[in-house]
Amino acid sequence: MIDLVPARPEMVSIIKPQRAQLATGQTMSREQVAAAIDAGVSLACVQGARILAFGGIAEQWPGRGILWGLLTDDIGATFTAVHRVVRRALETTTLQRVEAHVHVDHVEAGRWIEMLGFQREGVMRSFWNGYDFALYARVR
């Protein structure tokens, strides 16, 4: 059974992010996670003692937020439940625009973001640690 719990900064040191996220240095410090949690809504999907995913929508300024999160490689069959939680959060947000930044070579992440209703707007060159990222947005 998957439980939803409030995301906590210490979870960043417990979760083992996807290889695709690790390869491009898409990790967050405890301080960055704490700031993202404080800036909006955030949840963690846990199964027993395992953290499958955690993240949220951090408001950048009124009406605009950024979707952030870390997922594990072994999320497997529980991905459907995680997808539903994220979709519900996006459908209930009052933000006019929510953005997502996805490494251009992380095909699975791009496909998932599009399944969540985001549209690709372009490529941000050398955006994170020298890597190119696609900019996606979901606008009301």
Side-chain angles (χ1 to χ4, degrees):
M1 180 163 132
I2 296 177
D3 294 310
L4 296 175
V5 299
R8 298 182 319 274
E10 61 269 15
M11 289 177 169
V12 75
S13 61
I14 300 168
I15 193 170
K16 182 181 176 195
Q18 294 173 313
R19 285 182 298 256
Q21 290 178 309
L22 288 174
T24 55
Q26 295 176 66
T27 58
M28 298 171 75
S29 69
R30 185 181 174 120
E31 294 78 18
Q32 290 168 319
V33 170
I37 289 170
D38 289 344
V41 59
S42 59
L43 291 170
C45 296
V46 298
Q47 187 175 45
R50 271 183 38 212
I51 301 171
L52 302 170
F54 78 102
I57 304 170
E59 188 170 351
Q60 299 301 294
W61 57 70
R64 177 183 168 257
I66 296 178
L67 184 70
W68 65 275
L70 294 172
L71 284 75
T72 62
D73 270 329
D74 63 347
I75 198 164
T78 60
F79 178 77
T80 300
V82 171
H83 174 80
R84 287 183 183 136
V85 168
V86 175
R87 183 128 189 140
R88 194 172 22 237
L90 289 166
E91 289 169 354
T92 58
T93 185
T94 59
L95 298 171
Q96 179 69 24
R97 176 184 174 88
V98 177
E99 297 176 4
H101 309 138
V102 178
H103 186 275
V104 293
D105 293 336
H106 196 172
V107 176
E108 296 86 2
R111 188 170 33 246
W112 181 39
I113 289 296
E114 290 176 358
M115 288 172 53
L116 289 168
F118 286 77
Q119 293 183 343
R120 187 173 170 153
E121 293 187 335
V123 174
M124 301 178 293
R125 296 182 58 223
S126 196
F127 176 72
W128 184 284
N129 291 338
Y131 292 98
D132 295 347
F133 277 68
L135 171 63
Y136 288 85
R138 182 181 164 130
V139 180
R140 288 187 178 262

